[in-house]
Amino acid sequence: MSLVLDPAAQDLLFREARTANTFTDEPVTDEQVQAIYDLVKYGPTAFNQSPLRVTLVRSAEARERLVQHMAEGNQPKTATAPLVAILAADNEFHEELPELFPHFPQAKDVFFAERSAREGAATLNAALQAAYFIIGVRAAGLAAGPMTGLDFEGVRKEFLDDDHTPLMVVNIGTPGEDAWFPRSPRLAYDEVVTTV
């Protein structure tokens, strides 16, 4: 059985999409970011908790502050990407649940009264949303360069607060010259999927 999604869209989102390591200086607009969010906000999360929070790094001053917390190999990419996003999990997401999960507003207190339960749920579900975000960037015709080579605590202290846990930094833009490393291998279907 074939996929319903058009083959060109499959290529754009998955087969031809790559992690970009260089970018042109073409800007990424607020309108493009809004369009990405307006698409990916519909991706599912448990209890519709939607814990992902995005900090856009646009100013030269903020960029300089961020670059110092990136691993050495990621610093040049982060310094030159047209837009950089810090993706974080909001550990206080439960405060929004009465609005986001209106058919069971008690979920806030029944399941997420304890901070440790919230942190685990926030990390898992924000990571799901981070994947949706990367796909959304690709759907906008842009390239994403997600990175976890960074000082997480330094980024949290510099840009966030104790209620937010950074997950990754994503460089965003139009791919530049020599943007791609060679494609790495993928596991075969029968190495991943087991039927019981």
Side-chain angles (χ1 to χ4, degrees):
M1 177 179 181
S2 62
L3 299 173
V4 174
L5 191 65
D6 177 90
Q10 295 173 39
D11 288 344
L12 177 69
L13 299 179
F14 293 99
R15 285 192 290 260
E16 298 299 324
R18 308 286 289 283
T19 295
N21 294 290
T22 67
F23 298 90
T24 69
D25 58 2
E26 184 178 337
V28 177
T29 67
D30 289 335
E31 292 77 17
Q32 286 173 301
V33 177
Q34 179 75 54
I36 291 165
Y37 176 73
D38 286 341
L39 175 65
V40 304
K41 68 183 178 184
Y42 294 108
T45 57
F47 294 95
N48 196 34
Q49 58 191 248
S50 307
L52 182 70
R53 302 297 180 261
V54 180
T55 301
L56 299 177
V57 180
R58 286 202 182 274
S59 73
E61 179 269 332
R63 181 77 59 108
E64 188 174 309
R65 288 168 37 220
L66 177 59
V67 166
Q68 69 181 343
H69 296 292
M70 301 304 295
E72 185 176 345
N74 292 332
Q75 289 179 353
K77 296 182 272 191
T78 304
T80 58
L83 179 63
V84 182
I86 301 168
L87 304 188
D90 180 0
N91 296 307
E92 298 299 311
F93 69 86
H94 69 307
E95 296 296 343
E96 309 295 334
L97 283 182
E99 179 182 345
L100 294 176
F101 205 62
H103 52 283
F104 186 40
Q106 309 90 301
K108 171 187 172 191
D109 299 314
V110 172
F111 297 107
F112 302 111
E114 299 296 323
R115 172 75 179 222
S116 59
R118 292 196 304 274
E119 287 178 349
T123 298
L124 172 62
N125 287 279
L128 281 173
Q129 289 186 284
Y132 304 148
F133 183 84
I134 292 166
I135 300 299
V137 168
R138 293 171 174 180
L142 299 168
M147 300 170 295
T148 56
L150 56 112
D151 173 4
F152 286 91
E153 184 60 15
V155 168
R156 188 193 62 74
K157 286 181 178 178
E158 192 77 43
F159 292 95
L160 306 170
D161 59 33
D162 289 339
D163 290 332
H164 293 82
T165 303
L167 301 174
M168 66 183 69
V169 169
V170 182
N171 295 327
I172 303 168
T174 301
E177 190 174 336
D178 297 323
W180 324 116
F181 293 143
R183 167 106 38 215
S184 296
R186 297 298 191 266
L187 294 172
Y189 178 86
D190 59 1
E191 294 176 289
V192 175
V193 179
T194 304
T195 302
V196 294

